[in-house]
PDB file of all heavy atoms in Angstrom:
ATOM      1  N   VAL O   6       3.006  12.594   7.639  1.00  0.00           N
ATOM      2  CA  VAL O   6       3.340  14.018   7.777  1.00  0.00           C
ATOM      3  C   VAL O   6       3.925  14.252   9.171  1.00  0.00           C
ATOM      4  O   VAL O   6       3.256  13.988  10.175  1.00  0.00           O
ATOM      5  CB  VAL O   6       2.103  14.915   7.580  1.00  0.00           C
ATOM      6  CG1 VAL O   6       2.521  16.392   7.544  1.00  0.00           C
ATOM      7  CG2 VAL O   6       1.376  14.543   6.310  1.00  0.00           C
ATOM      8  N   GLY O   7       5.166  14.745   9.202  1.00  0.00           N
ATOM      9  CA  GLY O   7       5.875  14.933  10.467  1.00  0.00           C
ATOM     10  C   GLY O   7       6.928  13.843  10.596  1.00  0.00           C
ATOM     11  O   GLY O   7       6.596  12.654  10.621  1.00  0.00           O
ATOM     12  N   ALA O   8       8.201  14.254  10.632  1.00  0.00           N
ATOM     13  CA  ALA O   8       9.295  13.274  10.738  1.00  0.00           C
ATOM     14  C   ALA O   8       9.944  13.375  12.113  1.00  0.00           C
ATOM     15  O   ALA O   8      11.153  13.366  12.248  1.00  0.00           O
ATOM     16  CB  ALA O   8      10.322  13.512   9.637  1.00  0.00           C
ATOM     17  N   GLY O   9       9.101  13.474  13.160  1.00  0.00           N
ATOM     18  CA  GLY O   9       9.610  13.502  14.535  1.00  0.00           C
ATOM     19  C   GLY O   9       9.701  12.081  15.075  1.00  0.00           C
ATOM     20  O   GLY O   9       9.785  11.109  14.319  1.00  0.00           O
ATOM     21  N   TYR O  10       9.677  11.952  16.397  1.00  0.00           N
ATOM     22  CA  TYR O  10       9.818  10.631  17.029  1.00  0.00           C
ATOM     23  C   TYR O  10       8.749   9.670  16.510  1.00  0.00           C
ATOM     24  O   TYR O  10       9.029   8.515  16.207  1.00  0.00           O
ATOM     25  CB  TYR O  10       9.720  10.765  18.557  1.00  0.00           C
ATOM     26  CG  TYR O  10      10.980  11.347  19.154  1.00  0.00           C
ATOM     27  CD1 TYR O  10      11.161  12.719  19.264  1.00  0.00           C
ATOM     28  CD2 TYR O  10      12.008  10.517  19.582  1.00  0.00           C
ATOM     29  CE1 TYR O  10      12.315  13.250  19.800  1.00  0.00           C
ATOM     30  CE2 TYR O  10      13.175  11.038  20.116  1.00  0.00           C
ATOM     31  CZ  TYR O  10      13.321  12.412  20.220  1.00  0.00           C
ATOM     32  OH  TYR O  10      14.484  12.931  20.742  1.00  0.00           O
ATOM     33  N   VAL O  11       7.509  10.134  16.413  1.00  0.00           N
ATOM     34  CA  VAL O  11       6.431   9.227  15.999  1.00  0.00           C
ATOM     35  C   VAL O  11       6.396   9.066  14.478  1.00  0.00           C
ATOM     36  O   VAL O  11       6.325   7.944  13.952  1.00  0.00           O
ATOM     37  CB  VAL O  11       5.066   9.750  16.522  1.00  0.00           C
ATOM     38  CG1 VAL O  11       3.901   9.037  15.855  1.00  0.00           C
ATOM     39  CG2 VAL O  11       5.000   9.529  18.027  1.00  0.00           C
ATOM     40  N   GLY O  12       6.454  10.187  13.746  1.00  0.00           N
ATOM     41  CA  GLY O  12       6.340  10.111  12.288  1.00  0.00           C
ATOM     42  C   GLY O  12       7.473   9.340  11.650  1.00  0.00           C
ATOM     43  O   GLY O  12       7.257   8.475  10.793  1.00  0.00           O
ATOM     44  N   VAL O  29       7.004  13.253   5.096  1.00  0.00           N
ATOM     45  CA  VAL O  29       7.132  14.690   4.800  1.00  0.00           C
ATOM     46  C   VAL O  29       7.345  15.489   6.083  1.00  0.00           C
ATOM     47  O   VAL O  29       6.751  15.167   7.109  1.00  0.00           O
ATOM     48  CB  VAL O  29       5.804  15.219   4.198  1.00  0.00           C
ATOM     49  CG1 VAL O  29       5.936  16.672   3.758  1.00  0.00           C
ATOM     50  CG2 VAL O  29       5.373  14.369   3.052  1.00  0.00           C
ATOM     51  N   ASP O  30       8.177  16.495   6.002  1.00  0.00           N
ATOM     52  CA  ASP O  30       8.301  17.423   7.132  1.00  0.00           C
ATOM     53  C   ASP O  30       8.531  18.814   6.564  1.00  0.00           C
ATOM     54  O   ASP O  30       9.125  18.959   5.490  1.00  0.00           O
ATOM     55  CB  ASP O  30       9.462  17.026   8.046  1.00  0.00           C
ATOM     56  CG  ASP O  30       9.295  17.561   9.466  1.00  0.00           C
ATOM     57  OD1 ASP O  30       9.442  18.786   9.655  1.00  0.00           O
ATOM     58  OD2 ASP O  30       8.988  16.755  10.367  1.00  0.00           O
ATOM     59  N   ASN O  31       8.032  19.837   7.300  1.00  0.00           N
ATOM     60  CA  ASN O  31       8.269  21.193   6.796  1.00  0.00           C
ATOM     61  C   ASN O  31       9.605  21.753   7.286  1.00  0.00           C
ATOM     62  O   ASN O  31       9.936  22.896   6.998  1.00  0.00           O
ATOM     63  CB  ASN O  31       7.104  22.139   7.126  1.00  0.00           C
ATOM     64  CG  ASN O  31       6.864  22.251   8.613  1.00  0.00           C
ATOM     65  OD1 ASN O  31       7.575  21.634   9.406  1.00  0.00           O
ATOM     66  ND2 ASN O  31       5.853  23.023   9.000  1.00  0.00           N
ATOM     67  N   ASP O  32      10.349  20.932   8.026  1.00  0.00           N
ATOM     68  CA  ASP O  32      11.710  21.306   8.404  1.00  0.00           C
ATOM     69  C   ASP O  32      12.633  20.760   7.304  1.00  0.00           C
ATOM     70  O   ASP O  32      13.002  19.579   7.302  1.00  0.00           O
ATOM     71  CB  ASP O  32      12.025  20.681   9.773  1.00  0.00           C
ATOM     72  CG  ASP O  32      13.439  20.967  10.254  1.00  0.00           C
ATOM     73  OD1 ASP O  32      14.291  21.328   9.423  1.00  0.00           O
ATOM     74  OD2 ASP O  32      13.689  20.803  11.461  1.00  0.00           O
ATOM     75  N   LYS O  35      15.869  18.983   8.222  1.00  0.00           N
ATOM     76  CA  LYS O  35      15.668  17.620   8.716  1.00  0.00           C
ATOM     77  C   LYS O  35      15.491  16.658   7.538  1.00  0.00           C
ATOM     78  O   LYS O  35      16.059  15.569   7.500  1.00  0.00           O
ATOM     79  CB  LYS O  35      14.420  17.591   9.612  1.00  0.00           C
ATOM     80  CG  LYS O  35      14.269  16.332  10.426  1.00  0.00           C
ATOM     81  CD  LYS O  35      12.967  16.340  11.228  1.00  0.00           C
ATOM     82  CE  LYS O  35      13.166  16.722  12.660  1.00  0.00           C
ATOM     83  NZ  LYS O  35      11.970  16.558  13.490  1.00  0.00           N
ATOM     84  N   CYS O  82       1.271  13.138  11.893  1.00  0.00           N
ATOM     85  CA  CYS O  82       2.099  12.835  13.085  1.00  0.00           C
ATOM     86  C   CYS O  82       2.814  14.086  13.560  1.00  0.00           C
ATOM     87  O   CYS O  82       3.975  14.027  13.985  1.00  0.00           O
ATOM     88  CB  CYS O  82       3.132  11.758  12.749  1.00  0.00           C
ATOM     89  SG  CYS O  82       2.438  10.219  12.164  1.00  0.00           S
ATOM     90  N   VAL O  83       2.173  15.234  13.476  1.00  0.00           N
ATOM     91  CA  VAL O  83       2.833  16.472  13.896  1.00  0.00           C
ATOM     92  C   VAL O  83       2.641  16.667  15.404  1.00  0.00           C
ATOM     93  O   VAL O  83       1.837  15.976  16.039  1.00  0.00           O
ATOM     94  CB  VAL O  83       2.292  17.699  13.115  1.00  0.00           C
ATOM     95  CG1 VAL O  83       2.625  17.561  11.641  1.00  0.00           C
ATOM     96  CG2 VAL O  83       0.807  17.871  13.335  1.00  0.00           C
ATOM     97  N   GLY O  84       3.366  17.618  15.967  1.00  0.00           N
ATOM     98  CA  GLY O  84       3.311  17.838  17.413  1.00  0.00           C
ATOM     99  C   GLY O  84       1.989  18.442  17.864  1.00  0.00           C
ATOM    100  O   GLY O  84       1.300  19.133  17.103  1.00  0.00           O
ATOM    101  N   THR O  85       1.646  18.144  19.130  1.00  0.00           N
ATOM    102  CA  THR O  85       0.453  18.747  19.752  1.00  0.00           C
ATOM    103  C   THR O  85       0.871  19.258  21.139  1.00  0.00           C
ATOM    104  O   THR O  85       0.460  18.708  22.161  1.00  0.00           O
ATOM    105  CB  THR O  85      -0.679  17.700  19.889  1.00  0.00           C
ATOM    106  OG1 THR O  85      -0.137  16.497  20.475  1.00  0.00           O
ATOM    107  CG2 THR O  85      -1.292  17.361  18.559  1.00  0.00           C
ATOM    108  N   TYR O  97      -0.827  22.898  14.667  1.00  0.00           N
ATOM    109  CA  TYR O  97      -0.047  22.155  13.661  1.00  0.00           C
ATOM    110  C   TYR O  97      -0.953  21.163  12.935  1.00  0.00           C
ATOM    111  O   TYR O  97      -0.873  21.001  11.712  1.00  0.00           O
ATOM    112  CB  TYR O  97       1.120  21.404  14.314  1.00  0.00           C
ATOM    113  CG  TYR O  97       2.097  22.314  15.005  1.00  0.00           C
ATOM    114  CD1 TYR O  97       2.003  22.555  16.369  1.00  0.00           C
ATOM    115  CD2 TYR O  97       3.107  22.952  14.286  1.00  0.00           C
ATOM    116  CE1 TYR O  97       2.887  23.398  16.999  1.00  0.00           C
ATOM    117  CE2 TYR O  97       4.005  23.791  14.922  1.00  0.00           C
ATOM    118  CZ  TYR O  97       3.884  24.022  16.281  1.00  0.00           C
ATOM    119  OH  TYR O  97       4.767  24.858  16.908  1.00  0.00           O
ATOM    120  N   GLY O 100      -3.159  23.128  10.636  1.00  0.00           N
ATOM    121  CA  GLY O 100      -2.382  23.590   9.480  1.00  0.00           C
ATOM    122  C   GLY O 100      -2.258  22.493   8.429  1.00  0.00           C
ATOM    123  O   GLY O 100      -2.471  22.728   7.229  1.00  0.00           O
ATOM    124  N   VAL O 101      -1.955  21.276   8.890  1.00  0.00           N
ATOM    125  CA  VAL O 101      -1.802  20.157   7.950  1.00  0.00           C
ATOM    126  C   VAL O 101      -3.151  19.841   7.303  1.00  0.00           C
ATOM    127  O   VAL O 101      -3.238  19.618   6.078  1.00  0.00           O
ATOM    128  CB  VAL O 101      -1.231  18.907   8.673  1.00  0.00           C
ATOM    129  CG1 VAL O 101      -1.229  17.704   7.749  1.00  0.00           C
ATOM    130  CG2 VAL O 101       0.179  19.193   9.181  1.00  0.00           C
ATOM    131  N   GLU O 104      -3.856  22.294   4.585  1.00  0.00           N
ATOM    132  CA  GLU O 104      -3.012  22.057   3.403  1.00  0.00           C
ATOM    133  C   GLU O 104      -3.517  20.856   2.612  1.00  0.00           C
ATOM    134  O   GLU O 104      -3.638  20.910   1.386  1.00  0.00           O
ATOM    135  CB  GLU O 104      -1.561  21.818   3.828  1.00  0.00           C
ATOM    136  CG  GLU O 104      -0.804  23.067   4.206  1.00  0.00           C
ATOM    137  CD  GLU O 104       0.667  22.749   4.441  1.00  0.00           C
ATOM    138  OE1 GLU O 104       1.389  22.508   3.469  1.00  0.00           O
ATOM    139  OE2 GLU O 104       1.076  22.713   5.624  1.00  0.00           O
ATOM    140  N   LYS O 118      -2.695  10.422  13.862  1.00  0.00           N
ATOM    141  CA  LYS O 118      -1.860   9.600  14.760  1.00  0.00           C
ATOM    142  C   LYS O 118      -1.301  10.419  15.925  1.00  0.00           C
ATOM    143  O   LYS O 118      -0.924   9.860  16.952  1.00  0.00           O
ATOM    144  CB  LYS O 118      -0.709   8.967  13.961  1.00  0.00           C
ATOM    145  CG  LYS O 118      -0.245   7.640  14.577  1.00  0.00           C
ATOM    146  CD  LYS O 118       0.850   7.021  13.764  1.00  0.00           C
ATOM    147  CE  LYS O 118       0.815   5.526  13.639  1.00  0.00           C
ATOM    148  NZ  LYS O 118       0.074   4.737  14.595  1.00  0.00           N
ATOM    149  N   SER O 119      -1.224  11.742  15.746  1.00  0.00           N
ATOM    150  CA  SER O 119      -0.799  12.580  16.882  1.00  0.00           C
ATOM    151  C   SER O 119      -1.780  12.355  18.033  1.00  0.00           C
ATOM    152  O   SER O 119      -2.933  11.987  17.809  1.00  0.00           O
ATOM    153  CB  SER O 119      -0.860  14.063  16.504  1.00  0.00           C
ATOM    154  OG  SER O 119      -0.034  14.345  15.410  1.00  0.00           O
ATOM    155  N   THR O 120      -1.305  12.612  19.245  1.00  0.00           N
ATOM    156  CA  THR O 120      -2.214  12.501  20.400  1.00  0.00           C
ATOM    157  C   THR O 120      -3.045  13.775  20.491  1.00  0.00           C
ATOM    158  O   THR O 120      -2.492  14.870  20.635  1.00  0.00           O
ATOM    159  CB  THR O 120      -1.388  12.322  21.698  1.00  0.00           C
ATOM    160  OG1 THR O 120      -0.572  11.169  21.525  1.00  0.00           O
ATOM    161  CG2 THR O 120      -2.283  12.154  22.902  1.00  0.00           C
ATOM    162  N   GLU O 150      -0.951   6.422  18.667  1.00  0.00           N
ATOM    163  CA  GLU O 150       0.312   5.686  18.724  1.00  0.00           C
ATOM    164  C   GLU O 150       0.704   5.460  20.187  1.00  0.00           C
ATOM    165  O   GLU O 150       0.636   6.375  20.988  1.00  0.00           O
ATOM    166  CB  GLU O 150       1.394   6.486  17.985  1.00  0.00           C
ATOM    167  CG  GLU O 150       2.728   5.785  17.908  1.00  0.00           C
ATOM    168  CD  GLU O 150       2.597   4.341  17.422  1.00  0.00           C
ATOM    169  OE1 GLU O 150       2.096   4.135  16.311  1.00  0.00           O
ATOM    170  OE2 GLU O 150       2.973   3.427  18.176  1.00  0.00           O
ATOM    171  N   PHE O 151       1.128   4.235  20.491  1.00  0.00           N
ATOM    172  CA  PHE O 151       1.484   3.903  21.879  1.00  0.00           C
ATOM    173  C   PHE O 151       2.977   3.626  22.044  1.00  0.00           C
ATOM    174  O   PHE O 151       3.386   3.123  23.083  1.00  0.00           O
ATOM    175  CB  PHE O 151       0.664   2.696  22.351  1.00  0.00           C
ATOM    176  CG  PHE O 151      -0.809   2.972  22.402  1.00  0.00           C
ATOM    177  CD1 PHE O 151      -1.656   2.519  21.399  1.00  0.00           C
ATOM    178  CD2 PHE O 151      -1.351   3.709  23.449  1.00  0.00           C
ATOM    179  CE1 PHE O 151      -3.015   2.796  21.437  1.00  0.00           C
ATOM    180  CE2 PHE O 151      -2.718   3.988  23.495  1.00  0.00           C
ATOM    181  CZ  PHE O 151      -3.555   3.527  22.485  1.00  0.00           C
ATOM    182  N   LEU O 152       3.776   3.897  21.007  1.00  0.00           N
ATOM    183  CA  LEU O 152       5.209   3.585  21.122  1.00  0.00           C
ATOM    184  C   LEU O 152       5.841   4.392  22.260  1.00  0.00           C
ATOM    185  O   LEU O 152       5.360   5.470  22.626  1.00  0.00           O
ATOM    186  CB  LEU O 152       5.933   3.855  19.808  1.00  0.00           C
ATOM    187  CG  LEU O 152       6.002   5.277  19.226  1.00  0.00           C
ATOM    188  CD1 LEU O 152       7.002   6.171  19.936  1.00  0.00           C
ATOM    189  CD2 LEU O 152       6.349   5.197  17.768  1.00  0.00           C
ATOM    190  N   ARG O 153       6.921   3.841  22.806  1.00  0.00           N
ATOM    191  CA  ARG O 153       7.673   4.539  23.852  1.00  0.00           C
ATOM    192  C   ARG O 153       9.037   4.906  23.293  1.00  0.00           C
ATOM    193  O   ARG O 153       9.681   4.068  22.648  1.00  0.00           O
ATOM    194  CB  ARG O 153       7.885   3.627  25.065  1.00  0.00           C
ATOM    195  CG  ARG O 153       6.609   3.226  25.772  1.00  0.00           C
ATOM    196  CD  ARG O 153       6.843   1.982  26.607  1.00  0.00           C
ATOM    197  NE  ARG O 153       7.287   0.867  25.788  1.00  0.00           N
ATOM    198  CZ  ARG O 153       7.798  -0.270  26.269  1.00  0.00           C
ATOM    199  NH1 ARG O 153       7.932  -0.435  27.556  1.00  0.00           N
ATOM    200  NH2 ARG O 153       8.175  -1.241  25.455  1.00  0.00           N
ATOM    201  N   GLU O 154       9.454   6.140  23.520  1.00  0.00           N
ATOM    202  CA  GLU O 154      10.791   6.512  23.059  1.00  0.00           C
ATOM    203  C   GLU O 154      11.811   5.596  23.724  1.00  0.00           C
ATOM    204  O   GLU O 154      11.667   5.220  24.877  1.00  0.00           O
ATOM    205  CB  GLU O 154      11.071   7.979  23.393  1.00  0.00           C
ATOM    206  CG  GLU O 154      10.276   8.908  22.515  1.00  0.00           C
ATOM    207  CD  GLU O 154      10.480  10.372  22.850  1.00  0.00           C
ATOM    208  OE1 GLU O 154      11.517  10.726  23.431  1.00  0.00           O
ATOM    209  OE2 GLU O 154       9.577  11.160  22.529  1.00  0.00           O
ATOM    210  N   LYS O 221      -6.513   7.008  24.034  1.00  0.00           N
ATOM    211  CA  LYS O 221      -5.106   7.438  24.118  1.00  0.00           C
ATOM    212  C   LYS O 221      -4.889   8.379  25.311  1.00  0.00           C
ATOM    213  O   LYS O 221      -3.967   8.196  26.103  1.00  0.00           O
ATOM    214  CB  LYS O 221      -4.698   8.115  22.801  1.00  0.00           C
ATOM    215  CG  LYS O 221      -3.306   8.712  22.814  1.00  0.00           C
ATOM    216  CD  LYS O 221      -2.202   7.679  22.981  1.00  0.00           C
ATOM    217  CE  LYS O 221      -0.873   8.353  23.259  1.00  0.00           C
ATOM    218  NZ  LYS O 221       0.224   7.437  23.398  1.00  0.00           N
ATOM    219  N   SER O 276       7.779  14.338  26.393  1.00  0.00           N
ATOM    220  CA  SER O 276       6.891  15.177  25.578  1.00  0.00           C
ATOM    221  C   SER O 276       5.458  14.696  25.622  1.00  0.00           C
ATOM    222  O   SER O 276       4.590  15.289  24.988  1.00  0.00           O
ATOM    223  CB  SER O 276       7.382  15.198  24.132  1.00  0.00           C
ATOM    224  OG  SER O 276       7.207  13.909  23.569  1.00  0.00           O
ATOM    225  N   CYS O 277       5.168  13.593  26.343  1.00  0.00           N
ATOM    226  CA  CYS O 277       3.800  13.054  26.307  1.00  0.00           C
ATOM    227  C   CYS O 277       3.046  13.181  27.632  1.00  0.00           C
ATOM    228  O   CYS O 277       2.056  13.901  27.709  1.00  0.00           O
ATOM    229  CB  CYS O 277       3.833  11.600  25.861  1.00  0.00           C
ATOM    230  SG  CYS O 277       4.309  11.440  24.136  1.00  0.00           S
ATOM    231  N   LYS O 280       2.067  16.763  29.090  1.00  0.00           N
ATOM    232  CA  LYS O 280       1.104  17.527  28.287  1.00  0.00           C
ATOM    233  C   LYS O 280      -0.223  16.772  28.146  1.00  0.00           C
ATOM    234  O   LYS O 280      -1.291  17.385  28.108  1.00  0.00           O
ATOM    235  CB  LYS O 280       1.693  17.871  26.914  1.00  0.00           C
ATOM    236  CG  LYS O 280       1.585  16.776  25.876  1.00  0.00           C
ATOM    237  CD  LYS O 280       1.918  17.282  24.483  1.00  0.00           C
ATOM    238  CE  LYS O 280       2.085  16.145  23.494  1.00  0.00           C
ATOM    239  NZ  LYS O 280       0.933  15.305  23.254  1.00  0.00           N
ATOM    240  N   ASP O 281      -0.163  15.441  28.085  1.00  0.00           N
ATOM    241  CA  ASP O 281      -1.400  14.689  27.872  1.00  0.00           C
ATOM    242  C   ASP O 281      -2.287  14.686  29.119  1.00  0.00           C
ATOM    243  O   ASP O 281      -3.513  14.720  29.013  1.00  0.00           O
ATOM    244  CB  ASP O 281      -1.090  13.255  27.421  1.00  0.00           C
ATOM    245  CG  ASP O 281      -0.487  13.227  26.017  1.00  0.00           C
ATOM    246  OD1 ASP O 281      -0.573  14.258  25.314  1.00  0.00           O
ATOM    247  OD2 ASP O 281       0.091  12.204  25.627  1.00  0.00           O
ATOM    248  N   ARG O 344      12.838  16.779  26.368  1.00  0.00           N
ATOM    249  CA  ARG O 344      11.670  17.647  26.536  1.00  0.00           C
ATOM    250  C   ARG O 344      11.002  17.331  27.879  1.00  0.00           C
ATOM    251  O   ARG O 344      10.733  16.189  28.189  1.00  0.00           O
ATOM    252  CB  ARG O 344      10.683  17.447  25.378  1.00  0.00           C
ATOM    253  CG  ARG O 344      11.213  17.975  24.058  1.00  0.00           C
ATOM    254  CD  ARG O 344      10.257  17.715  22.912  1.00  0.00           C
ATOM    255  NE  ARG O 344      10.223  16.324  22.510  1.00  0.00           N
ATOM    256  CZ  ARG O 344       9.489  15.857  21.488  1.00  0.00           C
ATOM    257  NH1 ARG O 344       8.730  16.688  20.790  1.00  0.00           N
ATOM    258  NH2 ARG O 344       9.509  14.587  21.170  1.00  0.00           N
TER     259      ARG O 344
HETATM  260  N1  NAD N 501       7.160  11.067  21.258  1.00  0.00           N
HETATM  261  C1  NAD N 501       6.448  10.051  21.713  1.00  0.00           C
HETATM  262  O1  NAD N 501       6.936   9.170  22.423  1.00  0.00           O
HETATM  263  C2  NAD N 501       5.001   9.926  21.328  1.00  0.00           C
HETATM  264  C3  NAD N 501       4.345   8.708  21.535  1.00  0.00           C
HETATM  265  C4  NAD N 501       3.008   8.606  21.169  1.00  0.00           C
HETATM  266  C5  NAD N 501       2.359   9.702  20.648  1.00  0.00           C
HETATM  267  N2  NAD N 501       3.023  10.878  20.493  1.00  0.00           N
HETATM  268  C6  NAD N 501       2.303  12.005  19.896  1.00  0.00           C
HETATM  269  O2  NAD N 501       2.667  12.090  18.527  1.00  0.00           O
HETATM  270  C7  NAD N 501       2.687  13.465  18.115  1.00  0.00           C
HETATM  271  C8  NAD N 501       4.048  13.800  17.557  1.00  0.00           C
HETATM  272  O3  NAD N 501       4.995  13.663  18.581  1.00  0.00           O
HETATM  273  P1  NAD N 501       6.561  13.660  18.279  1.00  0.00           P
HETATM  274  O4  NAD N 501       7.235  13.382  19.563  1.00  0.00           O
HETATM  275  O5  NAD N 501       6.830  12.825  17.100  1.00  0.00           O
HETATM  276  O6  NAD N 501       6.770  15.203  17.883  1.00  0.00           O
HETATM  277  P2  NAD N 501       8.058  15.868  17.222  1.00  0.00           P
HETATM  278  O7  NAD N 501       8.051  17.277  17.691  1.00  0.00           O
HETATM  279  O8  NAD N 501       9.256  15.026  17.472  1.00  0.00           O
HETATM  280  O9  NAD N 501       7.774  15.822  15.663  1.00  0.00           O
HETATM  281  C9  NAD N 501       6.794  16.581  15.017  1.00  0.00           C
HETATM  282  C10 NAD N 501       7.295  16.863  13.606  1.00  0.00           C
HETATM  283  O10 NAD N 501       6.230  17.458  12.864  1.00  0.00           O
HETATM  284  C11 NAD N 501       6.814  18.420  11.989  1.00  0.00           C
HETATM  285  N3  NAD N 501       5.771  19.343  11.523  1.00  0.00           N
HETATM  286  C12 NAD N 501       5.105  20.288  12.205  1.00  0.00           C
HETATM  287  N4  NAD N 501       4.221  20.924  11.415  1.00  0.00           N
HETATM  288  C13 NAD N 501       4.327  20.357  10.183  1.00  0.00           C
HETATM  289  C14 NAD N 501       3.691  20.572   8.935  1.00  0.00           C
HETATM  290  N5  NAD N 501       2.746  21.505   8.797  1.00  0.00           N
HETATM  291  N6  NAD N 501       4.062  19.816   7.892  1.00  0.00           N
HETATM  292  C15 NAD N 501       5.015  18.870   8.020  1.00  0.00           C
HETATM  293  N7  NAD N 501       5.662  18.621   9.177  1.00  0.00           N
HETATM  294  C16 NAD N 501       5.313  19.352  10.253  1.00  0.00           C
HETATM  295  C17 NAD N 501       7.903  19.061  12.824  1.00  0.00           C
HETATM  296  O11 NAD N 501       8.860  19.724  12.032  1.00  0.00           O
HETATM  297  C18 NAD N 501       8.464  17.842  13.556  1.00  0.00           C
HETATM  298  O12 NAD N 501       9.535  17.266  12.832  1.00  0.00           O
HETATM  299  C19 NAD N 501       2.302  14.273  19.344  1.00  0.00           C
HETATM  300  O13 NAD N 501       0.922  14.492  19.339  1.00  0.00           O
HETATM  301  C20 NAD N 501       2.660  13.349  20.492  1.00  0.00           C
HETATM  302  O14 NAD N 501       1.896  13.594  21.637  1.00  0.00           O
HETATM  303  C21 NAD N 501       4.333  11.010  20.802  1.00  0.00           C
END
Side-chain angles (χ1 to χ4, degrees):
V6 188
Y10 285 87
V11 167
V29 185
D30 203 288
N31 60 1
D32 178 341
K35 193 183 260 188
C82 302
V83 296
T85 48
Y97 299 96
V101 173
E104 283 187 73
K118 208 178 218 340
S119 301
T120 303
E150 183 49 59
F151 296 102
L152 63 76
R153 296 160 301 167
E154 288 178 23
K221 175 64 191 181
S276 68
C277 291
K280 83 168 168 62
D281 292 345
R344 291 177 287 182

